């Protein structure tokens, strides 16, 4: 689970490379981690949620140079775009770490010194393949027949003096750690891949580079900069103020959300670095799949990258978040298309938006914008369904199955719509006003639950719902504070917009 011992959890996203601008894949990682963090907060946990930018390395240095910019001004400008991405998607991070910040640089140097003092680092010579786009070393047998990296990027032959980390020494301890923590990785099938990689043998890892300067200098050796992945991974503890109170509070409940392309760094190298430093590995790794465009990987060179800012401008953050979270099971890959996004956005409008609108307008017209004065019929089966729905959402803290949680919410809204249609309060009001009042009470109460449940997925619309109902308690345990008969409601307003499904626009 999002390790929640002592009612706390620490959730991170990867820190994003600033060599280019954000794309929808970055928005996806952010939104997944954000939804998990929001669920944990609604469960009453103390949450620390951190994201940020990975700003060093040869890739960033080359990109800056290609634009004729200094790396420092280039990273400042691009890091800001990733910060903006967070606000645009209503990501509720508590901190934003940049690897060029002194708090991080000091921590990385301290971490290096610690590994060095424990004899985990030695000087050697690296000769082999390096892929700048992946910032990764590859063995000959990992390259494709046409000599590209496993991700399809060009590789370069590198021969240089380098510091090495004694990774091979940690193979056995890693295998023991995996065996003792069978829930370390979600989804489970990823674990097999990790285990067979480690089982096949680990070579010591080159952890410094020379020949360029854009990185954190190796303490005491100005010819080398620290390998960008060692630098980047340490962000997870530098954001906690390594060796501070927050480290004690949050490190043992750390959950990293990462894409499937970077599992090796998080499931193998990072735990090994930590074990070597005498620290515990993270408790949980949540590995998500990739969004494709027309079945193809999105890339700058193909020119098929979906712009995450443009999506929100056209559809609003709720629709895009809801699409990303509900359209593809966690861990799978999927296609992003205009039609599937519109279908998902319209599902929100048709099922939830429409329900809220008709009930709120009815209450405003027939009950003087107040909760009807009835004795609350709390034994109605819709309330049992709502409790079951809440359990599914809470289960997210374990399983990351956002698509199941969102469909349980939609099913609750659909069942409430069916119930309203069957009672037809617009007719009943003329012949049996108590029945009409009771049905509006039940519907308003379920709408309140829907507003609370939707907060991790569609925060803007959820807030509009709860504001219209004028309720204060918004965490999961507030479900039990049922609406008081006679409680004054706010102005009805549209919660979720509908989009034209017939339109042949593309993304
Ligand atoms: N800087 C490293 C991470 C260091 S963490 C210590 C990095 N950055 S990245 O910017 O390339 O990628 C960050 C995240 O974006 C990864 O989790 C990656 O999986 C995700 N995505 C990038 N493209 C994606 C899609 N097309 N679809 C879904 N997510 C993808 O790796």
């Amino acid at each position: 689970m999002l390790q929640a011992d002592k009612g706390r959890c620490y959730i991170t996203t990867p820190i994003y490379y600033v060599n280019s601008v954000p794309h929808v894949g970055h928005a996806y990682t952010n939104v997944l981690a954000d939804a998990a963090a929001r669920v944990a907060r609604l469960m009453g946990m103390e949450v620390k949620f951190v994201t940020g930018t990975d700003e060093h390395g040869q890739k960033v240095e080359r990109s800056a140079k290609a634009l004729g910019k200094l790396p420092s001004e280039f990273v400042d400008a691009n890091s800001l775009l990733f910060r903006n991405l967070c606000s645009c998607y209503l990501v509720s991070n508590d901190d934003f770490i940049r690897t060029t910040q002194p708090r991080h640089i000091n921590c990385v140097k301290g971490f290096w010194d610690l590994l060095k003092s424990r004899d985990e680092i030695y000087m050697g010579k690296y000769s082999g393949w390096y892929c700048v786009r992946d910032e990764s070393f590859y063995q000959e047998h990992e390259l494709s027949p046409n000599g590209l990296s496993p991700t399809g990027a060009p590789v370069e032959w590198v021969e240089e003096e380098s510091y090495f980390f004694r990774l091979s020494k940690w193979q056995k301890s890693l295998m023991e750690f995996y065996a003792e923590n069978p829930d370390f990785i979600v989804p489970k099938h990823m674990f097999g891949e990790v285990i067979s990689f480690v089982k096949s043998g680990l070579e010591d890892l080159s952890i410094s580079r020379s020949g360029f300067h854009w990185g954190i200098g190796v303490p005491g050796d100005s010819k080398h900069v620290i390998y960008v992945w060692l630098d980047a991974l340490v962000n997870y503890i530098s954001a906690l103020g390594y060796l501070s109170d927050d480290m004690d509070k949050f490190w043992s409940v750390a959950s990293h959300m990462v894409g499937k392309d970077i599992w090796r760094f998080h499931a193998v190298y990072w735990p090994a670095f930590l074990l070597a430093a005498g620290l515990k590995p993270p408790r949980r790794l949540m590995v998500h799949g990739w969004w494709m465009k027309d079945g193809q990987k999105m890339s700058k060179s193909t020119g098929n990258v979906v712009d995450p800012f443009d999506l929100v401008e056209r559809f609003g953050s709720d629709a895009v978040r809801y699409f990303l979270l509900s359209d593809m099971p966690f861990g799978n890959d999927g296609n992003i298309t205009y039609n599937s996004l519109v279908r998902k956005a319209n599902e929100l409008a048709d099922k939830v938006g429409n329900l809220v609108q008709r009930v709120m307008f009815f209450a405003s017209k027939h009950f003087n914008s107040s909760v009807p004065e009835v004795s609350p019929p709390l034994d109605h089966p819709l309330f049992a369904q709502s409790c079951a729905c809440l359990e599914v959402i809470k289960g997210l803290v374990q399983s990351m199955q956002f698509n199941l949680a969102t469909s349980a919410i939609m099913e609750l809204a659909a069942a409430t719509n069916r119930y309203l249609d069957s009672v037809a309060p617009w007719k009943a009001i003329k012949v049996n006003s108590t029945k009409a009042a009771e049905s509006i009470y039940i519907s308003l109460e379920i709408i309140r639950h829907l507003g609370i449940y939707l907060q991790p997925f569609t925060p803007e619309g959820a807030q509009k719902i709860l504001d219209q109902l004028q309720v204060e308690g918004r965490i999961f345990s507030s479900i039990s504070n049922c609406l008081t008969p006679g409680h004054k409601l706010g102005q009805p307003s549209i919660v979720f917009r509908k989009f034209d499904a017939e339109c042949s626009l593309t993304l």
Side-chain angles (χ1 to χ4, degrees):
M1 74 156 161
L2 275 185
Q3 296 303 330
D5 314 5
K6 305 179 197 108
R8 288 191 195 118
C9 68
Y10 175 39
I11 301 175
T12 66
T13 73
I15 47 170
Y16 303 102
Y17 285 129
V18 289
N19 63 298
S20 69
V21 300
H23 73 68
V24 71
H26 303 131
Y28 181 52
T29 314
N30 277 345
V31 166
L32 286 169
D34 181 59
R38 286 175 183 265
V39 168
R41 288 195 201 101
L42 293 172
M43 287 171 76
M45 289 183 209
E46 187 181 1
V47 176
K48 178 122 183 155
F49 170 27
V50 180
T51 183
T53 41
D54 187 354
E55 306 186 5
H56 290 130
Q58 204 167 12
K59 169 157 82 171
V60 171
E61 190 183 76
R62 282 185 187 174
S63 303
K65 207 166 179 188
L67 292 174
K69 289 191 176 167
L70 284 175
S72 55
E73 58 174 355
F74 177 69
V75 300
D76 283 350
N78 279 6
S79 176
L80 195 60
L81 298 177
F82 284 90
R83 227 180 242 272
N84 293 344
L85 184 71
C86 290
S87 9
C88 186
Y89 278 79
L90 301 182
V91 173
S92 62
N93 53 303
D94 304 296
D95 197 353
F96 189 96
I97 185 146
R98 300 182 53 188
T99 55
T100 47
Q101 288 168 335
R103 62 168 169 163
H104 174 74
I105 295 172
N106 291 337
C107 180
V108 172
K109 288 187 170 168
F111 195 77
W112 177 282
D113 286 338
L114 182 61
L115 292 178
K116 193 94 204 306
S117 68
R118 296 170 75 105
D119 191 32
E120 297 292 346
I121 294 179
Y122 63 92
M123 170 58 90
K125 186 166 180 214
Y126 180 77
S127 51
W129 297 106
Y130 190 77
C131 173
V132 175
R133 200 176 81 188
D134 301 348
E135 293 286 15
S136 185
F137 300 95
Y138 289 112
Q139 293 179 19
E140 182 87 31
H141 70 87
E142 293 181 281
L143 304 184
S144 65
N146 50 355
L148 297 175
S149 84
T151 67
V155 293
E156 299 167 18
W157 183 257
V158 169
E159 277 189 23
E160 60 191 22
E161 199 185 45
S162 162
Y163 286 94
F164 282 82
F165 168 66
R166 298 189 194 281
L167 180 63
S168 55
K169 178 179 145 188
W170 292 98
Q171 181 173 349
K172 193 162 162 273
S173 309
L174 282 173
M175 292 302 285
E176 282 164 9
F177 166 71
Y178 301 147
E180 283 159 15
N181 296 278
D183 61 353
F184 173 52
I185 299 178
V186 176
K188 269 205 153 35
H189 68 82
M190 281 304 302
F191 220 155
E193 205 170 330
V194 172
I195 289 172
S196 66
F197 174 75
V198 174
K199 231 188 204 160
S200 72
L202 295 177
E203 292 188 359
D204 288 351
L205 183 70
S206 166
I207 51 163
S208 74
R209 300 290 322 276
S210 50
F212 68 94
H213 302 286
W214 187 240
I216 301 179
V218 166
D221 189 342
S222 57
K223 287 211 300 288
H224 292 260
V225 294
I226 296 175
Y227 174 40
V228 66
W229 266 102
L230 173 55
D231 167 349
L233 287 161
V234 170
N235 96 84
Y236 299 131
I237 55 176
S238 56
L240 291 182
Y242 177 41
L243 300 182
S244 72
D245 289 352
D246 263 9
M247 185 77 187
D248 290 345
K249 244 168 108 175
F250 289 109
W251 183 247
S252 61
V253 289
S255 297
H256 302 315
M257 178 71 74
V258 301
K260 64 176 186 178
D261 51 319
I262 52 177
W263 65 260
R264 188 185 295 187
F265 302 95
H266 286 84
V268 183
Y269 302 161
W270 181 223
F273 292 150
L274 289 161
L275 288 170
L279 291 165
K280 277 197 194 156
R283 288 282 291 273
R284 167 67 43 123
L285 206 56
M286 305 167 294
V287 186
H288 68 74
W290 270 47
W291 286 102
M292 321 278 242
K293 183 83 199 303
D294 309 314
Q296 267 195 313
K297 198 171 157 177
M298 279 180 250
S299 78
K300 260 199 303 190
S301 48
T302 328
N304 62 349
V305 175
V306 174
D307 175 357
F309 296 104
D310 174 58
L311 283 186
V312 168
E313 204 164 291
R314 285 161 68 184
F315 300 96
S317 66
D318 279 346
V320 187
R321 283 177 65 110
Y322 181 70
F323 165 75
L324 294 174
L325 292 167
S326 66
D327 196 58
M328 167 166 107
F330 187 80
N332 288 15
D333 290 343
N335 254 313
I336 178 163
T337 65
Y338 178 83
N339 284 342
S340 49
L341 209 163
V342 164
R343 194 170 354 98
K344 280 291 173 185
N346 287 351
E347 177 178 293
L348 266 180
D350 291 339
K351 293 191 174 150
V352 182
N354 189 29
L355 172 70
V356 175
Q357 212 171 323
R358 59 187 186 146
V359 174
M360 288 299 294
F361 277 106
F362 195 85
S364 124
K365 188 163 167 207
H366 296 282
F367 296 97
N368 190 27
S369 287
S370 302
V371 175
E373 307 263 4
V374 289
S375 85
L378 296 177
D379 53 352
H380 193 275
L382 278 173
F383 295 121
Q385 182 173 349
S386 176
C387 287
C389 178
L390 179 55
E391 290 314 306
V392 176
I393 300 168
K394 285 182 178 168
L396 261 189
V397 170
Q398 299 268 5
S399 65
M400 303 294 126
Q401 290 174 301
F402 298 93
N403 60 326
L404 298 189
T406 47
S407 44
I409 298 175
M410 285 311 124
E411 191 34 53
L412 179 62
T416 313
N417 276 314
R418 287 196 295 273
Y419 161 71
L420 261 185
D421 289 343
S422 71
V423 178
W426 46 93
K427 285 189 198 151
I429 192 85
K430 293 179 200 134
V431 286
N432 184 348
S433 62
T434 312
K435 196 170 168 204
E438 200 178 272
S439 72
I440 295 302
Y441 181 91
I442 292 173
S443 307
L444 283 169
E445 181 58 9
I446 294 290
I447 288 172
R448 185 178 71 89
H449 296 194
L450 290 169
I452 291 177
Y453 300 163
L454 280 169
Q455 294 174 100
F457 314 104
T458 58
E460 211 174 340
Q463 189 182 338
K464 278 190 193 155
I465 295 175
L466 297 169
D467 287 352
Q468 283 181 49
L469 292 175
Q470 306 217 14
V471 290
E472 306 236 310
R474 296 183 178 195
I475 63 171
F476 288 155
S477 60
S478 330
I479 291 297
S480 56
N481 312 338
C482 302
L483 288 168
T484 316
H487 168 85
K488 197 79 189 141
L489 301 168
Q491 277 298 315
S493 72
I494 292 177
V495 177
F496 296 115
R497 260 173 70 201
K498 259 197 103 151
F499 299 88
D500 187 355
E502 297 311 313
C503 171
S504 61
L505 275 176
T506 52
L507 292 176

